[in-house]
């Protein structure tokens, strides 16, 4: 049967599920778990032609798992199984809502499944851009939320909904229209490989589980190889690292428990805000940052500024920092798509191995002599 929820994020909304086509199936046999090594936000289990996906961390606050059942062919729904949505194979068209989800389809070799996406100009993945230029992907609006009418007109087999911001409001609309909506909480993963491992969830939803395992294992091996280069350096000197920029009077930087902070430390840096225990960004005063990081060796992640001169014009206080004076400021704007989208916010979360290698190259260039910066560039 389907479940009914009242879940509160910023505004209350209902996840309503209709009891449709309940069928019985023998429950003989045990569920076999798919190997998930680093992500702690989801699990996947299989039994015969059934795949059961549980999203344990869609939101920062604790909540009951969201459960999705994937059926192959004419397999019937187990009578005693309670789920939030049922997805039927074969999959012909889907809708995504976040750029970080887009590379999954490219890496799984199924870009043709994407039927709609909001803010198409933000998409940079080559195989998807090609289909956009051919008019094969519907623009779902340029606002903070996809246009619900356009989305539902596509009649997708499922929609992947980011649990960040206002996107969860889409779940109610999709479920009322009978469209399965799967919540994605990948941004809550602290371990860089944990975030990348969400490709296994997309693999399970598209019938590409073996390909997802292969892609992830390759990324994991490259990531771990880069880690070993740092670990085997016997006389490693950790440079001090500043990060973030100011908006109005607040300095926004990666929290000490964030994905970005973890990579800075693993790359052999000493992140100066690591004691600010936040999984997302942390808000700091300029005075605090000046006191803590005035003499920082490197400044990593200076938003999308294009030059030191432009950066100083935006805020003259940046020029006080040693890293600025020494021209040791790096940001993630090296790769852009045809319409200006930054690949770091699309491919970067799926390729922590490349982000890690970039940071190692910046901090300790002798450890990776053959690597050239991929996402990052010096201002």
């Amino acid at each position: 049967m389907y479940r009914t929820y009242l879940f509160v994020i910023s505004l209350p909304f209902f996840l309503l599920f209709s009891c449709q086509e309940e069928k019985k199936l023998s429950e003989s046999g045990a569920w076999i778990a798919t190997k998930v090594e680093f992500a702690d936000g989801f699990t996947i289990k299989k039994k015969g032609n059934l795949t059961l996906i549980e999203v344990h961390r869609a939101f920062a606050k604790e909540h009951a798992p969201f459960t999705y059942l994937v059926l192959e062919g004419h397999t019937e729904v187990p009578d005693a199984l309670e789920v939030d949505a049922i997805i039927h194979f074969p999959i012909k068209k889907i809708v995504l809502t976040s750029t970080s989800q887009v590379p999954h389809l490219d890496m799984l070799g199924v870009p043709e499944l994407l039927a709609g996406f909001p803010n198409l100009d933000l998409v940079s993945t080559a195989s998807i851009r090609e289909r956009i230029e051919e008019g094969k992907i519907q623009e779902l609006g340029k606002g903070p939320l996809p246009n619900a009418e356009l989305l539902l007109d596509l009649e997708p087999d499922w929609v992947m909904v980011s649990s960040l911001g206002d996107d969860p409001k889409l779940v109610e609309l999709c479920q009322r229209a009978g469209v399965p909506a799967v919540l994605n909480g990948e941004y809550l993963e602290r371990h860089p490989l944990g975030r990348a491992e969400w490709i296994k969830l997309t693999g399970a939803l598209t019938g590409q589980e073996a390909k997802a395992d292969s892609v992830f294992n390759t990324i994991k091996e490259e990531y771990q190889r880069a880690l070993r280069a740092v670990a085997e350096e016997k006389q490693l000197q950790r440079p001090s690292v500043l990060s973030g920029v100011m908006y109005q009077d607040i300095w926004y930087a990666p929290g000490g428990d964030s994905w970005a902070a973890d990579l800075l430390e693993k790359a052999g840096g000493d992140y100066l805000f690591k004691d600010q225990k936040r999984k997302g960004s942390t808000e700091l005063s300029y005075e605090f940052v000046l006191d803590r990081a005035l003499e920082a060796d490197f400044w990593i992640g200076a938003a999308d500024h294009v030059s030191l001169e432009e950066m100083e014009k935006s805020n003259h206080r940046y020029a006080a920092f040693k890293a600025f004076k020494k021209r040791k400021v790096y940001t993630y704007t090296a790769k852009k798509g045809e319409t200006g989208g930054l690949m770091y916010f699309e491919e970067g979360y799926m390729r922590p191995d490349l982000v890690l290698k970039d940071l190692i190259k910046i901090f300790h260039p002798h450890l990776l002599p053959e690597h050239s910066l991929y996402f990052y560039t010096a201002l």
Side-chain angles (χ1 to χ4, degrees), residues 163-292:
S163 61
L164 186 63
D166 289 335
D167 281 4
K169 295 177 183 178
L170 285 175
V171 176
E172 177 189 1
L173 295 171
C174 290
Q175 293 292 355
R176 283 180 171 173
V179 176
V182 179
L183 282 164
N184 183 315
E186 63 181 359
Y187 76 99
L188 292 167
E189 299 287 350
R190 182 179 187 274
H191 197 293
L193 286 175
R195 191 161 188 171
E197 200 164 18
W198 279 74
I199 195 173
K200 293 183 179 180
L201 184 143
T202 307
L205 291 169
T206 56
Q208 299 293 327
E209 289 175 284
K211 181 66 173 177
D213 286 344
S214 175
V215 168
F216 177 74
N217 287 336
T218 299
I219 292 169
K220 179 183 72 173
E221 290 166 6
E222 286 299 305
Y223 179 89
Q224 292 177 335
R225 186 172 69 86
L227 278 184
R228 287 194 295 272
V230 176
E232 292 170 359
E233 176 59 47
K234 296 180 180 179
Q235 296 182 331
L236 185 71
Q237 299 293 320
R238 289 182 172 269
S240 54
V241 182
L242 159 69
S243 188
V245 291
M246 292 191 72
Y247 290 99
Q248 297 181 348
D249 291 327
I250 298 175
W251 192 292
Y252 292 90
D257 288 335
S258 69
W259 178 90
D262 190 42
L263 281 167
L264 291 171
E265 290 286 317
K266 283 185 166 67
D270 176 21
Y271 182 45
L272 296 175
F273 305 142
K274 59 180 176 289
D275 60 338
Q276 305 299 304
K277 299 300 183 181
R278 294 284 299 274
K279 291 182 179 178
S281 64
T282 187
E283 299 177 8
L284 307 169
S285 69
Y286 175 77
E287 292 73 21
F288 177 88
V289 174
L290 188 68
D291 180 67
R292 179 75 64 91

Side-chain angles (χ1 to χ4, degrees), residues 270-342:
D270 176 21
Y271 182 45
L272 296 175
F273 305 142
K274 59 180 176 289
D275 60 338
Q276 305 299 304
K277 299 300 183 181
R278 294 284 299 274
K279 291 182 179 178
S281 64
T282 187
E283 299 177 8
L284 307 169
S285 69
Y286 175 77
E287 292 73 21
F288 177 88
V289 174
L290 188 68
D291 180 67
R292 179 75 64 91
L294 179 64
E295 297 297 317
D297 298 308
F298 289 95
W299 187 337
I300 303 294
D304 56 357
H305 290 295
V306 297
S307 69
L308 293 176
E309 292 72 23
E310 180 267 336
M311 191 175 172
E312 185 176 6
K313 285 181 180 178
S314 72
N315 194 317
H316 70 277
R317 291 179 287 185
Y318 290 148
F321 292 90
K322 171 187 165 184
F324 188 98
K325 294 175 180 177
K326 297 289 186 181
R327 308 184 74 85
K328 297 292 186 180
V329 182
Y330 292 79
T331 195
Y332 37 68
T333 58
K335 288 181 69 67
K336 291 185 179 181
E338 296 175 10
T339 50
L342 294 177

